[in-house]
Structure formats: structure tokens, C-alpha cells
Amino acid sequence: MKVDIVCVGKIKEKFYVEALGEYSKRLSKYARFEIIEVEDEKTPDKASEALEDQIKAKEAARILPKLKEDALVISLEILGQKMDSVKFADMIEKAGVQGKSHIQFVIGGSLGLHDSVTKRANKHLSFSDMTFPHQLMRVVLAEQIYRAFRIISNEPYHK
């Protein structure tokens, strides 16, 4: 299986880069894992709603070409479906059973995702009602993907 995280912006903090490197290494046992970054837009302080929508649209124009036609696309959004780690693993396993060999998770920039990306997604996932830094969310998502493959493989994982 191929699993991508398509995300906006580059990671600057060394500890996030190291954590993602570790999970990427661990995931290589189970899947081809890739992080695909697209350029982010600068957001001025106190931007109007219209300007924020324009910024999200520009980021979406960079995200959408990265999403593959045959992939299961899962957007990360506050209003998405919440699930525990076992249900998350079930979702990934069912995708494979249903013939989806490519899953792409999408994390937006600091303003979130444009409606065009949300509409393109097959599923919408929420990790919490709280807002997280999108760089940290990559690490959390990578850890949960790794945990899911451990669960699918009936290997022990920390509860």
C-alpha cells in the first residue's frame, strides 16, 4: 500500500523533522510512505474573510494536482469524523480490501482547507475539536498511521 500525507508548508523545526523521519522509517515495513509538501501562502494579520478564502484557494490549487484519481483521499478537518485508533486501522484495512492501494491524507495550512479540497476528499477525519499546529499534526497523523498498521498486523501497540 502507498500512503501519502499531502500538506501545506515546510517543516522548520528540527524535532518535527526528526519525528517524521522516525515514523517514516517505521512505516517502511508496512507501506510506501511519502510526505508531499506544497508551498504555503503568507497570511497577513487580521485578513478579511474574502482574503482568507483567496489564500486557501491558492493553496488548494497546489494541493489538488497532487491528489491521485485512484487514491482514497482523506482530509483532516475539525468537522470531520472522529474515531479511535482501532476504527482508524479498520478504515485503512477496509480501503485495502476494497482495492484501494493508495491513501492520501490532506492537511491544510494555518487557515485550513479550501472547499474545493474538502469536496474532492472521499472522507473527512477529525482528531479533535481543538486546533493543532499543522506541522505537529503531520507527526500525530504519521504516528496514528504507524499504529494502524501495527493493529492491522496484530502486533502489539501501546494503549
Side-chain angles (χ1 to χ4, degrees), residues 25-85:
K25 185 174 76 176
R26 291 181 186 189
L27 274 164
S28 68
K29 176 180 173 184
Y30 305 99
R32 288 180 297 137
F33 178 70
E34 184 178 4
I35 295 177
I36 301 168
E37 296 175 331
V38 301
E39 186 181 349
D40 61 343
E41 287 290 316
K42 300 286 183 242
T43 304
D45 291 337
K46 299 180 183 172
S48 68
E49 199 172 307
L51 180 57
E52 285 187 358
D53 192 60
Q54 288 175 358
I55 289 168
K56 289 192 292 186
K58 286 179 183 177
E59 291 174 347
R62 296 180 187 122
I63 292 170
L64 290 168
K66 305 293 183 190
L67 303 180
K68 303 301 180 197
E69 188 100 5
D70 62 340
L72 173 65
V73 176
I74 303 169
S75 60
L76 271 64
E77 305 178 36
I78 288 177
L79 298 177
Q81 178 185 1
K82 292 182 183 72
M83 58 182 71
D84 62 23
S85 296

Side-chain angles (χ1 to χ4, degrees), residues 108-152:
S110 59
L111 299 175
L113 292 169
H114 188 263
D115 288 344
S116 60
V117 177
T118 297
K119 287 177 183 158
R120 167 59 185 92
N122 305 104
K123 294 182 180 289
H124 313 282
L125 183 63
S126 173
F127 276 67
S128 174
D129 290 332
M130 292 184 219
T131 302
F132 294 98
H134 54 279
Q135 296 180 353
L136 175 60
M137 201 60 233
R138 292 183 206 184
V139 176
V140 172
L141 176 58
E143 188 280 332
Q144 284 298 303
I145 294 167
Y146 170 69
R147 182 181 297 262
F149 279 106
R150 301 271 304 178
I151 292 168
I152 291 165

